[in-house]
Amino acid sequence: MEIILLNNVKKLYDNELYASVIPTASLLYTLLQNDRSLATSELEYQVLLYYGNACYYERQYRVAIKHFNAALLMRKSMIRYKNVHLAAIENTCEQFGEIETRYRLATCYRDLGEHSQAVATLQALPAKSRTPKVNMLQAKLVQQGGSSNTTEAILAYKDVLRECPLAMEAIEALLELGVNGIEVNSLIVNASSVPKNIEWLSNWIKAHAQMYSRNHLEASKTFQSINDNTKFHQNEHLVTLIGKSLYYYGNSTQAQLYLEMAAMINPHNWDAIMPLSVVYEYNQKLQGLDKLTAQMTNIHEFTSGHWFVMAQSFYAHGMLEKASSFAYKALTLNPRNVEAQLLRGKICLRTKRHKDGIHFFRAAQCVANYRFEVYKGLFYCYMGMKRCKEAQTMCALAVRYFRNLPRSYVMFARTLIHSSHPHPKKSAKKVIGKALEIDEYYAPAVALMAELCQAEGETQEAIALLKKQVINYPHYRLFTMLGDILAGEKDLNGALEYYTTALSMEPTYQRALEGVNALGKVSWSNNKNEQDTSMTSSTNQDEEWPIECDEPSIEAVELLSSPAVAHDDGESDTFSDPFWQDVDAELTN
């Protein structure tokens, strides 16, 4: 009877009827437990493996773990007593070998969130017997476990590359863990099976190394060169990487173009869709975000990416409670979803829950310390809590870590401007100049430099700077700034022209509308005082935004927060001169 049942279990398993295997194997296992005279070790071993693997395929992980562990104990016993049937059983079905059994057992532990048990299961295998997929799983488990000691993960990823040199996930993971790009490239060149015609791979590695070392603009250029000079033109992964690099850099306009292209090529590409939803909100393209969200509602199986896009949409529309709830669901499915962590941090900034915000930004930092938004968010959180020493540290780290990123210099300069000390204020223009040296068309730096020039009476320099910018990269906010400046210079026609241009690009932009209304109400020849008052009220609208940046859009402050008005928070006075001098010295070097 037991042989008949075993043969039927085997037949069901071979035909992948795993749900039917489970009850039949359960009956056979009970039979063997009740009548030990029938329970030979080789028979019981096979039953346990069929039972455990069927539960594995049916995602009954707890039951699978129980039977896999029992099978491994039985295997040890068979080896001890030199059972001659063990080799025949494992040769009959490759899934019954110890390596595959431990791999599936570790997978069960992983899916149940028991990472330490999963790692211990794989570590029990001798290093020389581990296959590439075992090494890959072990490396990912160690890396995702948050351990500061990443040596084990690095060694495992290297073992993967020695046998599979085009394992892109291993390449990217090594670079993310800080391994030098030259070393990674040499691993591939010296691999046991080096594929031919992979000259492009060196640039691929170089671009990822640049991205993870925070040289985001250079990374985008390197990815772009692969896109332009190889037959991989407009590959979805390549276009996504270009878009993400530009997104990390802060060029949201160009990032949107590439991310939209990637999402068009593959509508289920979450690496492109998640940052695209953030870029839509940043660029105030709410119609695009709503369209993206509508596509999510027609899908029944929700992933972490689905929940995040929904959360981003609610955030863009000011529905913060729902946004927080959906971001939490995204993190429940994928705790390493960096965009969801950053979004929850931004929500905490908006609701002035700065302590919670620090928690989320720190969690994002553990996963992606190459993201500028982490340090920016921590800076604003510490400022909101009046913990100025920590805020100083975050500002300094942003400048030191992101030397090739103009966003860090803009944040630093804005903080200098709000200081009551004369020396930091004088240094602000120099810092903005550094940002413009890196990228002369970086819009927030251009806008801030123009405002500084205007505050110092250098109106023509401000106008020239803004005109150069809008010729190459037109933006309704910058057109409005030009309108404000020309209105102040009593150039009514010029101001009206720029306000009109701004409204043609963004018809609902309030500041431009108020500028036009102010021009219509003012009689320049008869009532100069009335004009001055009206224009001042228009141009200073955004100057009331606080440095904590807990307004509806964090990014909007980067573009339009005014340097001309002192704030009443009293905390700018506490920034120490030595701090600014240290960072100023670093800029000089």
Side-chain angles (χ1 to χ4, degrees), residues 440-441 446 449-450 453-454 458-472 481-482 485-486 498:
E440 62 178 322
Y441 293 113
V446 170
M449 179 64 86
C453 290
Q454 186 182 12
E458 300 171 356
T459 306
Q460 293 307 313
E461 287 81 352
I463 293 173
L465 191 65
L466 290 171
K467 283 184 175 180
K468 177 184 175 182
Q469 177 73 12
V470 297
I471 288 172
N472 293 280
M481 288 184 69
L482 274 167
I485 295 174
L486 292 177
Y498 285 118

Side-chain angles (χ1 to χ4, degrees), residues 516-532:
V516 172
N517 291 335
L519 290 176
K521 292 178 182 177
V522 173
S523 173
W524 291 89
S525 56
N526 297 331
N527 196 342
K528 179 176 180 301
N529 290 334
E530 181 185 350
Q531 179 271 332
D532 289 340

